[in-house]
Amino acid sequence: DSGVTQTPKHLITATGQRVTLRCSPRSGDLSVYWYQQSLDQGLQFLIQYYNGEERAKGNILERFSAQQFPDLHSELNLSSLELGDSALYFCASSAGQGPGEQYFGPGTRLTVT
Amino acid sequence: DQQVKQNSPSLSVQEGRISILNCDYTNSMFDYFLWYKKYPAEGPTFLISISSIKDKNEDGRFTVFLNKSAKHLSLHIVPSQPGDSAVYFCAASAWEAAGNKLTFGGGTRVLVKP
């Protein structure tokens, strides 16, 4: 158990809908990261927040947005969902904002039908 | 453009023998490297890391070697155990003002046979 929690575990929704994925980092960690794992793209970095501020951005679609709240939990919002958004979404956390180990949650499996 | 590559999609090894996983990278700005293990339906689990100022790091049965000139790293697992059967990912990061994103390789599936 990494100490990172993610909800929900599974999510099935229809195209065009909007969903919110939730992540709680390990106790004491200030950075939260979101990654997408799809069959054809592997594990891809989406975005990093550090202590409530956006720190780094990957190839995150404009339909996707994230935020980190004062209690350090984070939410990833996916809107206007398309079939291709079906994937595993992982949250990770780390103590600082620079190089170092990231600890991953169990993931949320999103299926868009 | 794959900046981190694991060219062997799978590896089969006998229990008790050494497993050697390889990883190549192209971005010379990468200065921190990590290995993760992943079981089905679980998130990646951190195994071991190495900074670019070192060429070797050891933790129990796991040793990571870094060859900066060749832009190559490898993970040695010895002795291999059946519980090591999983997908292994190498990852790299570059310290930059904009944070700590990890770039992952495609993974190598390891099967340890009893």
Side-chain angles (χ1 to χ4, degrees):
Chain A
D1 184 356
S2 67
V4 178
T5 60
Q6 289 186 248
T7 56
K9 196 168 176 63
H10 301 279
L11 201 47
I12 302 174
T13 189
T15 54
Q17 296 298 304
R18 173 190 165 95
V19 297
T20 298
L21 313 184
R22 196 178 194 275
C23 167
S24 292
R26 293 189 318 161
S27 176
D29 283 358
L30 298 179
S31 273
V32 169
Y33 311 80
W34 287 97
Y35 291 84
Q36 179 193 56
Q37 185 181 27
S38 57
L39 278 173
D40 56 343
Q41 293 289 325
L43 265 162
Q44 300 281 319
F45 169 77
L46 294 178
I47 197 163
Q48 175 195 1
Y49 278 82
Y50 174 76
N51 205 20
E53 301 288 328
E54 183 184 302
R55 288 293 290 132
K57 216 167 184 175
N59 295 327
I60 186 167
L61 299 172
E62 284 193 15
R63 301 183 285 108
F64 295 3
S65 66
Q67 53 185 324
Q68 186 180 28
F69 295 86
D71 67 353
L72 301 176
H73 91 271
S74 177
E75 293 180 355
L76 178 67
N77 300 296
L78 315 176
S79 61
S80 303
L81 285 167
E82 302 175 358
L83 295 177
D85 298 327
S86 296
L88 268 167
Y89 291 85
F90 290 105
C91 169
S93 74
S94 69
Q97 57 181 320
E101 296 78 43
Q102 295 179 21
Y103 296 89
F104 282 75
T108 293
R109 179 173 292 282
L110 173 66
T111 302
V112 183
T113 61
Chain B
D1 174 29
Q2 268 191 296
Q3 298 187 59
V4 179
K5 286 186 183 178
Q6 294 176 254
N7 291 315
S8 298
S10 63
L11 172 69
S12 183
V13 64
Q14 209 67 33
E15 180 180 4
R17 306 296 292 268
I18 185 171
S19 295
I20 300 177
L21 292 82
N22 295 301
C23 180
D24 297 295
Y25 61 96
T26 57
N27 187 343
S28 58
M29 298 300 292
F30 286 146
D31 53 14
Y32 199 79
F33 304 89
L34 309 92
W35 285 93
Y36 284 84
K37 176 170 77 172
K38 188 179 181 305
Y39 293 119
E42 293 184 14
T45 300
F46 169 73
L47 277 176
I48 192 168
S49 61
I50 188 167
S51 162
S52 61
I53 62 173
K54 293 185 173 182
D55 54 18
K56 177 183 174 181
N57 189 25
E58 196 170 348
D59 184 1
R61 297 187 297 116
F62 303 94
T63 303
V64 56
F65 296 91
L66 175 62
N67 182 334
K68 285 187 299 262
S69 60
K71 293 192 177 68
H72 177 85
L73 65 154
S74 62
L75 174 69
H76 292 204
I77 307 172
V78 56
S80 299
Q81 300 173 353
D84 296 332
S85 297
V87 178
Y88 289 77
F89 292 94
C90 68
S93 69
W95 171 242
E96 47 190 359
N100 178 31
K101 71 175 193 178
L102 292 180
T103 301
F104 282 86
T108 296
R109 184 176 301 276
V110 173
L111 175 63
V112 180
K113 298 179 180 178

